[in-house]
Amino acid sequence: MSRPTNLVNSWNEWDPLREIVVGVADNACFEPTEPGHRPQLRTPDGGSAPFPTGPKPAEMIERANEQLDGLVRLLESQGVTVHRPVAPDLASPLRTPDFQVENQYCVVCPRDVMITLGNEIIEATMSRRARYFEYQAYRKLVYSYWNNDPGMVWTVAPKPSMADSMYRQEFWEWPLEERHRRMHSSEFCVTQDEVVFDAADISRFGRDIVVQESMTTNRSGIHWLKRHLEPRGFRVHPVHFPLDFFPSHIDCTFVPLRPGLVLTNPERPLREGEEQLFLRNGWELVDVPQPTSTNDEMPKYCQSSKWLSMNVLSISPTKVVCEEREKPLQDLLDKLGFEVFPVPFRDVFEYGGSLHCATWDVNREGTAEDYFPVNDYRPLAEGPRILG
Ligand code: ABU
């Protein structure tokens, strides 16, 4: 069990927030085309013009930084300690023994890279070449936790090669009917040969960890998480959203806000049967309203879906930060009994996400609760349990 004085201590997505990291847009570049990602302009002609490469213009970076700084001010006004990453040079070409890519991306979304699971920080493997070294922006911070919190565990998940052979290139060419036909197979642009996961495919519910199989997390990645986390007392549950043909990161699809309540995406239902864990334990799954923008109305360089609307950040089980234009969602949250803090954030969307994506909570009050006592969980193997 965690000690309340731990610097690193976060077991779920909603306990009262004490310390968090908020990304920065400094040095951001346009995301390159690569085997795991094909960025497209959001234009009326369907994005046929080439996607730009290289550094983003200074005024775009400034606009995003203003909104990120606004989030920082709000969190600090709520008594939360906020840290920022240090953005390295991202514009130079990157070459490893297995791949090369024309530039890196940005350090706006720590959620995709870093995750706190109790007293442990895990650096994800990542799934895209331009994000291979993104962990470096957080190393100074991780070292400060490592040096100052003797109870903290620091784990770096195995880096995949990201060689051509790790990807399934034909994925990008499948017509819609093919995607529909394959919707239950959970085979996307990444093969199963190497361990691959982005941290943002994980959602934390105390002792239970829910992981989405996606374009950014494969079954080998989930298997690694199980083998690593089960001996520490966690139960790791793979989940699937078969109607999402391009799944990437769970936090625009399935968003827990307090014990007993998950916001769900009405266009991306859970695979039949996977809802039972929640329903049998008395959880409510509440569909969010349609976002205020259609997919076509999202910012021109944004590669995420309109469902960034539900990418909210919990300050506590009663306080939620929501994008300022998402009035229908704010009204729902209000009805559900939350105090809602609206902030402008649309200028951040093209850097990979909204409020949840752009943050990484390192410390929340609370301990390892069991919110799912009714379960038929089968661990990979019986072994020693660190949490008991
Ligand atoms: N990075 C979150 C994006 C998820 C989505 O586009 O739905």
Side-chain angles (χ1 to χ4, degrees):
M1 285 295 151
S2 77
R3 292 157 290 142
T5 50
N6 280 357
L7 296 180
V8 176
N9 183 74
S10 184
W11 294 92
N12 57 48
E13 308 290 337
W14 59 79
D15 269 344
L17 185 59
R18 291 196 286 220
E19 192 157 322
I20 197 161
V21 180
V22 174
V24 288
D26 302 355
N27 300 352
C29 293
F30 289 100
E31 52 217 293
T33 297
E34 52 168 302
H37 189 53
R38 293 211 181 161
Q40 281 193 328
L41 288 180
R42 276 203 149 100
T43 49
D45 66 354
S48 54
F51 199 80
T53 56
K56 296 216 182 206
E59 61 280 6
M60 275 164 58
I61 291 183
E62 206 173 303
R63 280 202 301 271
N65 270 338
E66 269 169 32
Q67 298 195 339
L68 289 157
D69 293 348
L71 174 63
V72 171
R73 283 193 296 277
L74 167 69
L75 293 169
E76 287 178 341
S77 76
Q78 293 295 307
V80 178
T81 301
V82 181
H83 300 285
R84 312 297 297 273
V86 181
D89 163 41
L90 301 166
S92 308
L94 180 67
R95 191 187 177 114
T96 76
D98 293 300
F99 67 81
Q100 46 189 322
V101 72
E102 55 207 298
N103 56 256
Q104 300 184 67
Y105 180 30
C106 67
V107 295
V108 173
C109 290
R111 186 73 60 183
D112 302 351
V113 189
M114 311 294 292
I115 187 161
T116 312
L117 290 163
N119 66 338
E120 179 171 9
I121 288 175
I122 299 183
E123 297 175 11
T125 70
M126 302 310 288
S127 54
R128 278 160 48 184
R129 294 172 174 178
R131 308 193 70 181
Y132 189 91
F133 286 110
E134 212 169 297
Y135 66 90
Q136 288 182 337
Y138 307 98
R139 273 288 166 93
K140 198 165 169 232
L141 256 171
V142 175
Y143 264 108
S144 79
Y145 292 124
W146 168 254
N147 288 326
N148 294 303
D149 179 355
M152 174 262 195
V153 176
W154 174 17
T155 300
V156 178
K159 275 289 182 197
S161 69
M162 299 198 191
D164 286 352
S165 58
M166 197 184 99
Y167 299 97
R168 186 180 284 115
Q169 276 302 279
E170 64 277 17
F171 167 83
W172 299 105
E173 316 303 336
W174 289 343
L176 195 62
E177 311 79 67
E178 177 79 359
R179 293 188 194 283
H180 201 265
R181 198 175 63 73
R182 290 173 178 260
M183 66 194 228
H184 293 295
S185 70
S186 299
E187 294 293 347
F188 305 104
C189 52
V190 172
T191 65
Q192 305 298 336
D193 301 338
E194 298 187 52
V195 168
V196 176
F197 70 92
D198 279 8
D201 278 312
I202 303 171
S203 189
R204 301 160 303 157
F205 296 72
R207 297 184 67 143
D208 291 272
I209 305 297
V210 164
V211 192
Q212 168 182 235
E213 236 186 276
S214 71
M215 299 195 301
T216 42
T217 293
N218 63 8
R219 285 191 286 286
S220 305
I222 298 177
H223 190 80
W224 184 90
L225 285 162
K226 273 176 165 283
R227 276 176 67 167
H228 178 72
L229 292 170
E230 282 179 353
R232 307 184 64 74
F234 288 99
R235 295 178 291 234
V236 179
H237 308 267
V239 289
H240 307 83
F241 302 92
L243 289 180
D244 186 358
F245 294 153
F246 296 90
S248 161
H249 306 163
I250 195 169
D251 49 2
C252 290
T253 303
F254 200 74
V255 178
L257 288 187
R258 67 183 176 218
L261 176 69
V262 183
L263 292 184
T264 47
N265 181 321
E267 292 179 1
R268 299 175 180 172
L270 268 170
R271 179 188 280 180
E272 205 181 327
E274 290 181 350
E275 74 289 357
Q276 286 308 317
L277 176 69
F278 298 89
L279 301 183
R280 281 161 62 201
N281 286 281
W283 283 64
E284 224 186 326
L285 307 180
V286 176
D287 274 351
V288 295
Q290 278 294 323
T292 52
S293 301
T294 63
N295 278 324
D296 292 340
E297 292 161 352
M298 293 294 274
K300 186 173 170 189
Y301 301 111
C302 169
Q303 299 303 301
S304 305
S305 73
K306 61 183 181 180
W307 295 107
L308 283 184
S309 62
M310 62 188 288
N311 193 253
V312 297
L313 173 70
S314 291
I315 299 180
S316 78
T318 58
K319 294 181 178 183
V320 180
V321 191
C322 188
E323 212 285 322
E324 72 171 0
R325 286 207 216 163
E326 298 303 327
K327 196 76 181 68
L329 177 59
Q330 291 169 26
D331 291 343
L332 172 71
L333 292 169
D334 185 57
K335 265 200 222 121
L336 290 167
F338 292 96
E339 183 180 356
V340 180
F341 296 82
V343 292
F345 221 63
R346 288 182 75 85
D347 289 330
V348 181
F349 285 7
E350 67 176 75
Y351 298 80
S354 189
L355 295 148
H356 192 258
C357 300
T359 54
W360 157 39
D361 49 298
V362 177
N363 199 310
R364 291 181 184 267
E365 286 175 22
T367 55
E369 302 288 335
D370 184 353
Y371 299 103
F372 301 95
V374 183
N375 70 79
D376 48 13
Y377 189 76
R378 282 200 304 273
L380 282 176
E382 285 307 322
R385 290 284 181 273
I386 289 169
L387 291 180

